[in-house]
Amino acid sequence: MAEFEDKAGWRTLWFLIDRQRTRLALAFAFTLVAATMELVPFWLLAQGAQAVLGFIDQQSTTTEMAETFYQLALWMAAALVLKTLIYGIAYFLSHQAAFFTLAHTRRILVTRLAWAPLHWIQSYHSGQLKQMVLQDVDKIENLIAHHTVEVSVSLLTPLLITFYLFWIDWRLAVAALLVAPLAIICSMLFMRDMDSMQDQYHQVAVSLNKTTVEYLRNIPVMKLFRQDARRFSAMVQHSQHYYSLVEALTRLTVPRWALFTSLLGANMLLVLPAGGFLLLHNEIALTDLILAILLCGGMLRPLLKISHFFTDSREVLASVRRLNPVLNADNSAEHAQQAEGADPVSSREEGIDVELSRVRFSYDKTLIIPEMDLTLPAGSTTVMTGASGSGKSTLAQLIAGLLMPEQGQVTINGRAVTDLSNEQRASLVAVATQDAFLFKGTIRDNLMLARDTVQEHDMELAIKVAQAEHLIQQLPDGYDTRVNEQGTRLSGGERQRLALARALLADTPVLVLDEATAFADNLTQQAFYRDLQEHYPDKTVLIIAHRLAGMEFADQIIVLHKGHIQDAGSHTELIQRNAYYQKIWQLQRDSHHWTLQDDQACESRKRSDVTEGETTCLQI
Ligand SMILES: Nc1ncnc2c1ncn2[C@@H]1O[C@H](COP(=O)(O)OP(=O)(O)OP(=O)(O)O)[C@@H](O)[C@H]1O
């Protein structure tokens, strides 16, 4: 199972490094040269030993021996410089390959996420997506940038030494290699339970990550309820689980790892007696034996790196495998966009109508819209209201093409939304919701999100209609004022007004406003809908709202109940026959007259010319 999963991970990695394979092959070639250079110092040391032996045998003088040493030092310095240079090139190439792969992978992921259906994205926690796009992708860096060079050297150096030892004497080579199988068995033991442990570790790390993100996001709420990290029970639980797993992992791995490391250095226990025996029987020259001993000393140590590589690669492959669902996400919309074909519904076309026919939709197995038929005639305004959870936002997302119906279809001028590319859809339908998200940048950048170029008067009109004129005037640099991530320096209502202006600027014939004025006061809301009608009369508008101030003008008002249209008609019709509509309208009319005043103000207001009954005075 693990092998199969590893294969899937390697396949994905192979796909991700697609454009970097030549660079990596070059990095490997340079590493091969550098690994050969690793042997040069040993050979030079053997030459030094030979010079010493020559001197002991009185074949050379002290001066000659010293001169040999100077020369050897020079050669060693030259070899060192050359080796450093070659390693430098190899690392440069492997790092380039790694960072290009990281950028390429993130580009693929964010593109896939941008095109993936909304409900699919919503099935992931934001902490999980963050973990994928940031941490999981980052893990690839170490594998490509470092392991490519280091693992290659760690493999090639013992291999080259083995060849050399065989060339000197095969018995010495065998003696040097005998401990390797023992070390490898030990290493396999070391890896045995690692797979399941690693998976468990990841799950626990993700849970801790999610909880931490949740905690950090909601610090204001935590403050309100006087909770800190120690008292936030979910965090405590996940931390404890994390630490107990890490402890178990450490207990399991440390003894095996210590044994493996010791075994790798133990080959000298066999090489020394074997060398002594061969020397005694004159089957090997003393200088060869010295060279062999020098080489054998650290010969198997590089295998440590390989073992590290296997451990790391499992972690990396697990990370890469986690990217697979996003990499393989349904990108049919992306393909639809790339596919040739005429623009089926032009955004420039006059009068766009939207039709839902027999639309059925469920989240997983929970049925939200059983069957819906609805028409938003071209250039009309439809208001949709209904109890919380009745499916209004779901319908808005279905119309905007952000959710796919499981049955029936949503059409825009007769063309199914599902057949449109994302770009086509975005040029037809703009959506503004209650959660007005602003990106880090200037107000202008945020307003122009949907369009590359905007005429100044278009921008001013959108801002005026969105009732944000005063806000822009107040800002220190007007349109060029910078907002931070999520626009948190602006109030909820200010963010909403800017998001409304952005939706208007998108210049789409269909506009969906899902509680888009929820933070506005009644007067602002009324002014917005009045100006919207006056300045954008051709738009097909769907307004979802609980507060209906200023919406009496709507062509049709729909009351939604548990995913069904309970009633539909004009304001006058509904106020006469629909109990729910009458109730919310009555409540809103009453609350419209509520004011918060102190006793004195309240008394004086009652004495003023305000007709009794129009004002409900809440005395404070
Ligand atoms: N992503 C989701 N996954 C599962 N269920 C969801 C999801 N989004 C909404 N729901 C459920 O679908 C139902 C309809 O939700 P929807 O947001 O469409 O209602 P709504 O009428 O817009 O409510 P509100 O007025 O409170 O915004 C609710 O019961 C909600 O819990």
Side-chain angles (χ1 to χ4, degrees):
M1 184 64 184
E3 255 175 47
F4 175 76
E5 285 180 345
D6 275 0
K7 267 189 200 155
W10 282 119
R11 259 202 309 273
T12 307
L13 198 63
W14 186 245
F15 159 74
L16 293 175
I17 60 166
D18 178 37
R19 299 182 189 174
Q20 302 304 322
R21 289 181 203 156
T22 317
R23 233 185 219 110
L24 285 172
L26 272 174
F28 180 78
F30 277 100
T31 309
L32 179 63
V33 181
T36 318
M37 301 284 304
E38 290 282 357
L39 306 187
V40 173
F42 294 106
W43 185 79
L44 292 173
L45 280 177
Q47 298 309 305
Q50 197 166 26
V52 174
L53 290 176
F55 173 73
I56 293 169
D57 290 347
Q58 296 181 340
Q59 285 166 7
S60 60
T61 62
T62 322
T63 325
E64 282 168 341
M65 187 176 72
E67 253 173 38
T68 311
F69 280 7
Y70 296 147
Q71 275 176 7
L72 289 177
L74 278 177
W75 278 113
M76 209 168 276
L80 197 71
V81 170
L82 200 61
K83 191 176 80 174
T84 311
L85 201 71
I86 295 169
Y87 268 132
I89 297 172
Y91 270 120
F92 178 72
L93 288 167
S94 69
H95 274 75
Q96 261 196 336
F99 286 108
F100 283 134
T101 305
L102 255 57
H104 176 61
T105 307
R106 289 208 171 103
R107 208 167 31 239
I108 299 180
L109 289 175
V110 292
T111 310
R112 290 282 197 275
L113 286 173
W115 296 110
L118 193 67
H119 64 273
W120 183 85
I121 294 180
Q122 283 170 344
S123 66
Y124 284 91
H125 187 281
S126 58
Q128 256 176 309
L129 292 177
K130 185 177 147 258
Q131 161 99 21
M132 273 186 211
V133 180
L134 300 178
Q135 283 104 319
D136 283 341
V137 175
D138 267 344
K139 293 247 171 76
I140 302 175
E141 189 263 333
N142 193 27
L143 190 79
I144 300 180
H146 297 271
H147 284 317
T148 332
V149 175
E150 284 154 26
V151 170
S152 306
V153 175
S154 306
L155 265 176
L156 291 170
T157 311
L159 213 65
L160 290 171
I161 293 177
T162 306
F163 283 140
Y164 193 75
L165 287 177
F166 269 106
W167 183 66
I168 295 174
D169 191 290
W170 68 269
R171 287 159 294 189
L172 264 186
V174 171
L177 290 176
L178 261 179
V179 290
L182 263 177
I184 288 168
I185 291 170
C186 198
S187 153
M188 282 159 80
L189 273 176
F190 165 69
M191 306 291 287
R192 207 176 45 183
D193 306 316
M194 285 301 279
D195 273 340
S196 63
M197 278 284 205
Q198 210 101 71
D199 284 349
Q200 276 182 50
Y201 173 79
H202 173 72
Q203 280 164 15
V204 174
V206 166
S207 302
L208 187 62
N209 199 354
K210 273 191 208 170
T211 320
T212 313
V213 168
E214 197 181 351
Y215 178 78
L216 293 176
R217 278 227 180 104
N218 297 309
I219 276 183
V221 183
M222 294 296 154
K223 274 189 193 300
L224 225 49
F225 291 96
R226 293 198 290 151
Q227 292 269 321
D228 58 25
R230 275 169 303 140
R231 296 176 64 209
F232 184 44
S233 63
M235 191 113 143
V236 174
Q237 233 176 26
H238 288 302
S239 303
Q240 277 170 352
H241 197 176
Y242 179 84
Y243 289 121
S244 55
L245 193 76
V246 167
E247 203 189 352
L249 206 68
T250 314
R251 257 199 237 129
L252 184 82
T253 53
V254 165
R256 295 177 191 183
W257 185 252
L259 184 63
F260 175 63
T261 317
S262 311
L263 279 174
L264 287 181
N267 63 350
M268 209 49 94
L269 293 176
L270 298 175
V271 171
L272 284 176
F277 176 84
L278 291 171
L279 195 67
L280 201 66
H281 293 84
N282 282 333
E283 294 194 21
I284 187 173
L286 182 59
T287 42
D288 281 343
L289 180 60
I290 292 171
L291 181 55
I293 290 171
L294 287 174
L295 287 170
C296 286
M299 172 187 175
L300 296 177
R301 291 265 169 203
L303 292 181
L304 270 179
K305 273 251 178 296
I306 295 177
S307 184
H308 273 305
F309 165 74
F310 277 118
T311 318
D312 286 0
S313 69
R314 265 157 203 252
E315 213 179 302
V316 176
L317 292 178
S319 293
V320 168
R321 278 200 308 274
R322 283 193 291 274
L323 304 180
N324 274 337
V326 181
L327 292 173
N328 303 326
D330 174 16
N331 59 348
S332 48
E334 185 183 2
H335 289 146
Q337 187 207 16
Q338 284 159 1
E340 283 185 32
D343 189 351
V345 189
S346 164
S347 60
R348 299 284 118 227
E349 227 172 274
E350 287 293 307
I352 297 271
D353 63 23
V354 179
E355 204 161 334
L356 281 82
S357 62
R358 310 192 68 189
V359 167
R360 179 188 172 89
F361 182 83
S362 317
Y363 287 112
D364 297 323
K365 290 194 171 70
T366 315
L367 183 63
I368 305 295
I369 313 283
E371 189 175 301
M372 167 81 58
D373 288 300
L374 173 67
T375 305
L376 310 183
S380 69
T381 299
T382 302
V383 170
M384 189 177 282
T385 190
S388 180
S390 53
K392 302 181 296 295
S393 301
T394 306
L395 265 178
Q397 289 179 25
L398 282 161
I399 289 171
L402 298 174
L403 295 175
M404 299 294 152
E406 60 186 78
Q407 208 177 287
Q409 59 178 11
V410 179
T411 55
I412 296 185
N413 269 12
R415 180 73 196 239
V417 175
T418 40
D419 292 346
L420 302 177
S421 71
N422 276 358
E423 200 164 322
Q424 286 164 343
R425 225 166 37 215
S427 72
L428 291 169
V429 188
V431 183
T433 65
Q434 184 168 0
D435 309 314
F437 191 93
L438 298 183
F439 290 93
K440 189 176 177 182
T442 62
I443 299 275
R444 192 185 296 276
D445 296 338
N446 272 288
L447 291 175
M448 289 176 59
L449 198 66
R451 276 166 72 183
D452 297 336
T453 51
V454 174
Q455 300 285 335
E456 206 62 22
H457 63 264
D458 285 341
M459 178 127 40
E460 276 160 18
L461 179 64
I463 284 290
K464 178 178 174 295
V465 173
Q467 311 301 306
E469 232 172 355
H470 187 56
L471 165 67
I472 299 289
Q473 281 161 9
Q474 268 185 335
L475 291 171
D477 298 315
Y479 288 113
D480 297 316
T481 306
R482 293 191 72 78
V483 288
N484 56 358
E485 273 153 71
Q486 299 178 28
T488 42
R489 270 184 8 205
L490 297 169
S491 77
E494 288 168 342
R495 282 204 298 274
Q496 270 196 343
R497 273 178 272 162
L498 291 175
L500 275 176
R502 179 168 63 191
L504 292 173
L505 269 177
D507 197 22
T508 55
V510 182
L511 182 63
V512 177
L513 304 174
D514 184 359
E515 289 288 357
T517 52
F519 293 149
D521 58 76
N522 282 351
L523 287 179
T524 311
Q525 179 169 303
Q526 274 169 338
F528 166 70
Y529 289 117
R530 185 195 59 224
D531 289 354
L532 178 69
Q533 256 204 319
E534 185 186 331
H535 294 285
Y536 299 92
D538 299 329
K539 279 190 192 292
T540 308
V541 184
L542 172 67
I543 303 166
I544 289 168
H546 288 289
R547 271 188 313 122
L548 303 174
M551 296 179 199
E552 303 88 322
F553 69 89
D555 299 293
Q556 59 173 342
I557 298 175
I558 290 168
V559 179
L560 205 68
H561 179 68
K562 293 186 177 168
H564 291 282
I565 296 181
Q566 188 199 61
D567 207 345
S570 67
H571 169 71
T572 331
E573 287 163 353
L574 291 187
I575 205 87
Q576 282 169 3
R577 67 168 186 240
N578 189 280
Y580 176 82
Y581 192 76
Q582 283 164 359
K583 203 167 169 186
I584 53 167
W585 192 256
Q586 177 75 30
L587 277 171
Q588 278 164 34
R589 209 192 52 184
D590 290 351
S591 66
H592 185 60
H593 301 297
W594 288 4
T595 64
L596 278 178
Q597 291 178 340
D598 60 19
D599 293 358
Q600 215 180 348
C602 214
E603 283 310 312
S604 69
R605 196 169 164 79
K606 277 183 183 167
R607 280 196 303 273
S608 74
D609 55 350
V610 178
T611 326
E612 213 174 320
E614 265 190 15
T615 302
T616 306
C617 218
L618 297 179
Q619 294 187 336
I620 51 169

